[in-house]
Amino acid sequence: MLRIINFRVDVKNKNPLEALLVHKFPVLKDQIQEIHVVRRAVDARKKPHITFVYTLFVAVHNEAAVMKKLGRDKNVSTMEPIEPEPIVHGEQLLTERPVVVGFGPAGMLAAFYLAREGYRPIVLERGQDVDQRSHDVETFWKTGEFKAESNVQFGEGGAGTFSDGKLTTRVTHPRLHEIAKYFVRFGAPQEILYKHKPHVGTDVLRGMVKAMRQQIIAWGGEVRFGAKLTKLQLQANQIVGVEVNHEEMIPTRLVLAGVGHSARDTYEMLYKFGIAMESKPFAVGVRIEHPQSMIDISQYGIDPAELGLGAAEYSVVYHDKETGRTAYSFCMCPGGEVVASASEDGHVVTNGMSLYARASGVANSALVVTVGPDDFGTHPLGGVAFQREWEKKAFELGGRDYKAPLQTVGDFLVRQKGTVPEQDAAAPHSYRPGVVAADLHECLPTYVTDVIERALPYFGRRIKGFDEPQICMTGVETRTSSPLRILRDDDRQSPTVKGLYPMGEGAGYAGGIMSAALDGAETAIRVMVAYKPLMAQEGEA
């Protein structure tokens, strides 16, 4: 198999890849058997000349002869695609079904692999199924009627269900492609297998998670909604059962804990049971919104529709010399909206969301600053208390009815409350159930707002119009990642309680849909290499 990297094609060139390859490498004429697109990125650094940059696997006849002629080209080499290692089941016998806590990406993929291999997992998800959850969330956005157990953070698919559905990750692992292929099987577009920055949008993602749940059930798994983990049952530091909703006790010796980064009461319960955990850094700040057309022109120099491209993205980073902190864009959502994302009564939290089409005309991104144990202490739950403090302040500033405090960049930089601008194309603001003019300095630490003040002009020099005075910012953004890490040993079990397997973003081991999904899958595999499938045991009985 040939591996061809840095293969550049003008975005307007619609010729087939095979013809383009033969044009660049004439030796490939009549030799190509199959072309597999591994990756396709967009390079707009020399706009208006914008190119796709491909990485390709190309199967050819007479590979040795072809390589002999191409051997000096540094962009061509030979290699075979790396496949994930096969799963080898262990021999220890299970006496009860494994329990998976949480049905976000980590929990879903853990349950998926366990069910596929015959382990018949029971999934406990405190929130509701995606259909009921979508109804509850939309009601909250329209009316401010908040439900503590069915919201943007809790329910089928996890927090990512109401997001841009980004499937990017910095993690490299052969099983990631396998997971992506499963996502395609259950409704994701084929392009996620090769795009440099794939996304599926909240609309496609909702269908995907529902289809994956149905497959888990078809394989013998069980998924319970409205089922909150409320207690662990231990014997000699070994899990022997879990309590659900303060009522039912389920016997089990294996708990794969994929709790979300907003399951604060679950964190507190686990801490009381002596589960080892530690505080960790994360970031807090605001959501900033721009006309999508402004971002498009800045990134491409032209309307992306003329190039056959979608809405443009951006990523900006500012390193503050005065404090050593970093300000950066996070979870940038092209053509999306800012959404109310509280998970506790009396708190205001922002996040971003887009449909697959990214066609709202409004770009939004978190603009956040790093914080850490030096700011909120080393107690494992210190970061949780820190988040709550500022979310409550935002709730108060917004009028105590889940409206969010809003301030324009111009008013923020001179530290005045100002007014909410008229909703128009130059100053969009999309947060529902509504916004209230406020000074965002009152719902964020001074050491955060000071850095944002210095970062905004810096970003404005990189993206024209980024810091224009009418641009709107909404607060507060606090759920960038887990505020703590639930510790685990090399075998992925808690060092203090055997049978507990912390995993995913909420446990501090992932940052996004794909890395959390991978961590869930790999945690399930770690269980499988130790234990024999229940279905195999039942078949032998």
PDB file of all heavy atoms in Angstrom, residues 40-53:
ATOM      1  N   ARG A  40      -8.405  14.747   4.887  1.00  0.00           N
ATOM      2  CA  ARG A  40      -8.490  15.882   3.974  1.00  0.00           C
ATOM      3  C   ARG A  40      -8.634  17.157   4.787  1.00  0.00           C
ATOM      4  O   ARG A  40      -9.601  17.330   5.531  1.00  0.00           O
ATOM      5  CB  ARG A  40      -9.691  15.755   3.025  1.00  0.00           C
ATOM      6  CG  ARG A  40      -9.682  16.818   1.918  1.00  0.00           C
ATOM      7  CD  ARG A  40     -10.972  16.813   1.126  1.00  0.00           C
ATOM      8  NE  ARG A  40     -12.076  17.390   1.880  1.00  0.00           N
ATOM      9  CZ  ARG A  40     -13.339  17.412   1.454  1.00  0.00           C
ATOM     10  NH1 ARG A  40     -13.648  16.844   0.299  1.00  0.00           N
ATOM     11  NH2 ARG A  40     -14.295  17.957   2.189  1.00  0.00           N
ATOM     12  N   ALA A  41      -7.656  18.025   4.665  1.00  0.00           N
ATOM     13  CA  ALA A  41      -7.667  19.300   5.374  1.00  0.00           C
ATOM     14  C   ALA A  41      -7.775  20.435   4.365  1.00  0.00           C
ATOM     15  O   ALA A  41      -7.537  20.250   3.165  1.00  0.00           O
ATOM     16  CB  ALA A  41      -6.397  19.452   6.205  1.00  0.00           C
ATOM     17  N   VAL A  42      -8.142  21.615   4.863  1.00  0.00           N
ATOM     18  CA  VAL A  42      -8.211  22.812   4.029  1.00  0.00           C
ATOM     19  C   VAL A  42      -7.053  23.724   4.405  1.00  0.00           C
ATOM     20  O   VAL A  42      -6.852  24.031   5.584  1.00  0.00           O
ATOM     21  CB  VAL A  42      -9.548  23.558   4.221  1.00  0.00           C
ATOM     22  CG1 VAL A  42      -9.562  24.852   3.411  1.00  0.00           C
ATOM     23  CG2 VAL A  42     -10.717  22.666   3.818  1.00  0.00           C
ATOM     24  N   ASP A  43      -6.287  24.160   3.408  1.00  0.00           N
ATOM     25  CA  ASP A  43      -5.184  25.097   3.624  1.00  0.00           C
ATOM     26  C   ASP A  43      -5.551  26.427   2.977  1.00  0.00           C
ATOM     27  O   ASP A  43      -5.595  26.542   1.751  1.00  0.00           O
ATOM     28  CB  ASP A  43      -3.891  24.548   3.016  1.00  0.00           C
ATOM     29  CG  ASP A  43      -2.677  25.418   3.344  1.00  0.00           C
ATOM     30  OD1 ASP A  43      -2.868  26.533   3.865  1.00  0.00           O
ATOM     31  OD2 ASP A  43      -1.542  24.980   3.076  1.00  0.00           O
ATOM     32  N   ALA A  44      -5.836  27.425   3.826  1.00  0.00           N
ATOM     33  CA  ALA A  44      -6.233  28.747   3.326  1.00  0.00           C
ATOM     34  C   ALA A  44      -5.179  29.796   3.645  1.00  0.00           C
ATOM     35  O   ALA A  44      -5.471  30.994   3.641  1.00  0.00           O
ATOM     36  CB  ALA A  44      -7.579  29.140   3.936  1.00  0.00           C
ATOM     37  N   ARG A  45      -3.958  29.373   3.880  1.00  0.00           N
ATOM     38  CA  ARG A  45      -2.915  30.331   4.267  1.00  0.00           C
ATOM     39  C   ARG A  45      -2.510  31.250   3.129  1.00  0.00           C
ATOM     40  O   ARG A  45      -1.985  32.345   3.369  1.00  0.00           O
ATOM     41  CB  ARG A  45      -1.689  29.576   4.788  1.00  0.00           C
ATOM     42  CG  ARG A  45      -1.911  28.902   6.139  1.00  0.00           C
ATOM     43  CD  ARG A  45      -0.719  28.077   6.548  1.00  0.00           C
ATOM     44  NE  ARG A  45      -0.501  26.957   5.634  1.00  0.00           N
ATOM     45  CZ  ARG A  45       0.513  26.109   5.732  1.00  0.00           C
ATOM     46  NH1 ARG A  45       1.412  26.263   6.689  1.00  0.00           N
ATOM     47  NH2 ARG A  45       0.633  25.106   4.879  1.00  0.00           N
ATOM     48  N   LYS A  46      -2.736  30.820   1.884  1.00  0.00           N
ATOM     49  CA  LYS A  46      -2.348  31.641   0.732  1.00  0.00           C
ATOM     50  C   LYS A  46      -3.579  32.081  -0.046  1.00  0.00           C
ATOM     51  O   LYS A  46      -3.607  32.036  -1.273  1.00  0.00           O
ATOM     52  CB  LYS A  46      -1.387  30.858  -0.165  1.00  0.00           C
ATOM     53  CG  LYS A  46      -0.076  30.508   0.520  1.00  0.00           C
ATOM     54  CD  LYS A  46       0.858  29.750  -0.413  1.00  0.00           C
ATOM     55  CE  LYS A  46       2.172  29.409   0.286  1.00  0.00           C
ATOM     56  NZ  LYS A  46       3.095  28.652  -0.611  1.00  0.00           N
ATOM     57  N   LYS A  47      -4.622  32.470   0.706  1.00  0.00           N
ATOM     58  CA  LYS A  47      -5.851  32.892   0.045  1.00  0.00           C
ATOM     59  C   LYS A  47      -5.581  34.063  -0.901  1.00  0.00           C
ATOM     60  O   LYS A  47      -4.698  34.885  -0.632  1.00  0.00           O
ATOM     61  CB  LYS A  47      -6.923  33.250   1.086  1.00  0.00           C
ATOM     62  CG  LYS A  47      -6.518  34.181   2.201  1.00  0.00           C
ATOM     63  CD  LYS A  47      -7.688  34.347   3.175  1.00  0.00           C
ATOM     64  CE  LYS A  47      -7.286  35.118   4.404  1.00  0.00           C
ATOM     65  NZ  LYS A  47      -6.455  34.350   5.313  1.00  0.00           N
ATOM     66  N   PRO A  48      -6.279  34.112  -2.036  1.00  0.00           N
ATOM     67  CA  PRO A  48      -7.465  33.320  -2.364  1.00  0.00           C
ATOM     68  C   PRO A  48      -7.172  31.938  -2.956  1.00  0.00           C
ATOM     69  O   PRO A  48      -8.106  31.245  -3.346  1.00  0.00           O
ATOM     70  CB  PRO A  48      -8.176  34.192  -3.398  1.00  0.00           C
ATOM     71  CG  PRO A  48      -7.066  34.868  -4.115  1.00  0.00           C
ATOM     72  CD  PRO A  48      -6.015  35.137  -3.072  1.00  0.00           C
ATOM     73  N   HIS A  49      -5.882  31.540  -3.035  1.00  0.00           N
ATOM     74  CA  HIS A  49      -5.572  30.195  -3.541  1.00  0.00           C
ATOM     75  C   HIS A  49      -5.705  29.210  -2.385  1.00  0.00           C
ATOM     76  O   HIS A  49      -4.819  29.093  -1.536  1.00  0.00           O
ATOM     77  CB  HIS A  49      -4.161  30.151  -4.124  1.00  0.00           C
ATOM     78  CG  HIS A  49      -3.794  28.812  -4.665  1.00  0.00           C
ATOM     79  ND1 HIS A  49      -4.506  28.188  -5.664  1.00  0.00           N
ATOM     80  CD2 HIS A  49      -2.793  27.951  -4.325  1.00  0.00           C
ATOM     81  CE1 HIS A  49      -3.964  27.013  -5.931  1.00  0.00           C
ATOM     82  NE2 HIS A  49      -2.922  26.845  -5.129  1.00  0.00           N
ATOM     83  N   ILE A  50      -6.825  28.498  -2.338  1.00  0.00           N
ATOM     84  CA  ILE A  50      -7.142  27.598  -1.232  1.00  0.00           C
ATOM     85  C   ILE A  50      -7.117  26.167  -1.750  1.00  0.00           C
ATOM     86  O   ILE A  50      -7.650  25.872  -2.825  1.00  0.00           O
ATOM     87  CB  ILE A  50      -8.515  27.943  -0.629  1.00  0.00           C
ATOM     88  CG1 ILE A  50      -8.497  29.394  -0.116  1.00  0.00           C
ATOM     89  CG2 ILE A  50      -8.874  26.986   0.497  1.00  0.00           C
ATOM     90  CD1 ILE A  50      -9.840  29.890   0.355  1.00  0.00           C
ATOM     91  N   THR A  51      -6.497  25.297  -0.993  1.00  0.00           N
ATOM     92  CA  THR A  51      -6.339  23.912  -1.444  1.00  0.00           C
ATOM     93  C   THR A  51      -6.824  22.918  -0.401  1.00  0.00           C
ATOM     94  O   THR A  51      -6.823  23.195   0.800  1.00  0.00           O
ATOM     95  CB  THR A  51      -4.862  23.599  -1.751  1.00  0.00           C
ATOM     96  OG1 THR A  51      -4.081  23.798  -0.560  1.00  0.00           O
ATOM     97  CG2 THR A  51      -4.324  24.485  -2.852  1.00  0.00           C
ATOM     98  N   PHE A  52      -7.242  21.753  -0.898  1.00  0.00           N
ATOM     99  CA  PHE A  52      -7.393  20.583  -0.045  1.00  0.00           C
ATOM    100  C   PHE A  52      -6.023  19.921   0.051  1.00  0.00           C
ATOM    101  O   PHE A  52      -5.291  19.838  -0.944  1.00  0.00           O
ATOM    102  CB  PHE A  52      -8.385  19.579  -0.638  1.00  0.00           C
ATOM    103  CG  PHE A  52      -9.822  20.010  -0.584  1.00  0.00           C
ATOM    104  CD1 PHE A  52     -10.606  19.988  -1.729  1.00  0.00           C
ATOM    105  CD2 PHE A  52     -10.398  20.416   0.605  1.00  0.00           C
ATOM    106  CE1 PHE A  52     -11.931  20.369  -1.686  1.00  0.00           C
ATOM    107  CE2 PHE A  52     -11.727  20.805   0.662  1.00  0.00           C
ATOM    108  CZ  PHE A  52     -12.495  20.783  -0.487  1.00  0.00           C
ATOM    109  N   VAL A  53      -5.686  19.445   1.233  1.00  0.00           N
ATOM    110  CA  VAL A  53      -4.436  18.713   1.430  1.00  0.00           C
ATOM    111  C   VAL A  53      -4.805  17.301   1.876  1.00  0.00           C
ATOM    112  O   VAL A  53      -5.394  17.108   2.946  1.00  0.00           O
ATOM    113  CB  VAL A  53      -3.538  19.392   2.479  1.00  0.00           C
ATOM    114  CG1 VAL A  53      -2.208  18.650   2.585  1.00  0.00           C
ATOM    115  CG2 VAL A  53      -3.312  20.855   2.126  1.00  0.00           C
TER     116      VAL A  53
END
